[in-house]
Amino acid sequence: MKLSSISVQSINIIKHIRQRLSPSKKMLEKDVFVKAEVPEFKEIIFKKSLNLKEAALFAEQNFGVKNFNINDLVCANLLNKVFTKIHNITKGKAEFPPIVSIRNQKNVRFSGECGTCHIEVIKHPQMINTIIHEIGHYNHQKCCSDFSKMGKYQELIDDGVTDFSIYEQFKNDKQSLELVKKHILPYATSSAAEFIACTFNSIINGKTLPKEIYELYKKYEGPFADIFIANAMKTT
């Protein structure tokens, strides 16, 4: 009886191992390890805030912004609306900095700035594009290991970068630069990093771009390239 019991148990174990090694289609459909559920992307619905406290809470709950340095309700709602648009177009993949500032300054040399944990934007008529542009930079530095080598020439010098290979490769690709100048902006030809941020802005704003631009965007590791290319293919 003991031997018989062991034999039956052994046979069952062998059957189970065989089933795991060569599972049937029915087993595959039921197997949680083979067919894991992927959480669905949740679209954010923008809601206009009635005061700055509401706006800051909306930014924190939806985008993880902890330090909301904005003292103008119109600007606060505009930023949240833009962040919502970016979140939805990138299917929830976009990252947002924990510190966001909008300054009401004049006679400044820049309209926006991006750091490792913040973006700062100067209030001006084209502020929406600046916000998108800086979020493009922010996500590019998150996904690209060579981001520090993709700046403008003087930026590389100032940052102590000695490897100019990416800068030279980008600037020597005259054919691509002509396309960038035509379909994006002349400023986008100043460096690979500026090309990515400017193209990110164009895509978020729904501009139709040729496939060569998307290829260049992917080459320089632009964020969400596969999502943007898939979306572009749907519209062609």
Side-chain angles (χ1 to χ4, degrees), residues 58-139:
F58 185 91
E60 182 177 7
Q61 290 179 340
N62 291 289
F63 314 116
V65 177
K66 303 295 183 185
N67 200 333
F68 196 72
N69 298 317
I70 304 172
N71 57 14
D72 182 302
L73 184 58
V74 173
C75 290
N77 276 315
L78 184 146
L79 181 129
N80 280 335
K81 189 174 183 179
V82 172
F83 275 18
T84 299
K85 184 178 183 180
I86 294 171
H87 169 90
N88 292 340
I89 290 175
T90 61
K91 301 188 184 301
K93 301 294 184 183
E95 292 188 42
F96 300 92
I99 304 170
V100 176
S101 305
I102 294 180
R103 307 294 185 193
N104 189 15
Q105 292 175 269
K106 296 180 180 179
N107 300 320
V108 292
R109 295 173 61 185
F110 67 94
S111 59
E113 183 180 61
C114 171
T116 55
C117 63
H118 82 281
I119 65 163
E120 182 174 341
V121 175
I122 302 302
K123 186 178 177 181
H124 65 98
Q126 298 298 317
M127 190 170 59
I128 291 175
N129 290 328
T130 303
I131 293 169
I132 299 172
H133 183 98
E134 297 307 328
I135 292 298
H137 277 314
Y138 185 77
N139 281 273

Side-chain angles (χ1 to χ4, degrees), residues 21-22 28 47 61 75 86 120 133 137 148 186 198 205 231 234:
L21 292 174
S22 302
L28 283 173
K47 183 180 179 182
Q61 290 179 340
C75 290
I86 294 171
E120 182 174 341
H133 183 98
H137 277 314
S148 62
C198 291
N205 281 317
N231 289 343
K234 290 176 184 177

Side-chain angles (χ1 to χ4, degrees), residues 24-37:
S24 66
K25 184 178 178 181
K26 193 172 182 181
M27 281 188 67
L28 283 173
E29 288 174 350
K30 291 182 177 179
D31 197 331
V32 70
F33 296 103
V34 177
K35 193 179 181 181
E37 287 188 13

Side-chain angles (χ1 to χ4, degrees), residues 201-216:
N201 179 51
S202 293
I203 293 170
I204 294 298
N205 281 317
K207 188 172 183 180
T208 301
L209 300 170
K211 68 173 184 177
E212 291 84 0
I213 294 293
Y214 284 105
E215 288 168 358
L216 197 65

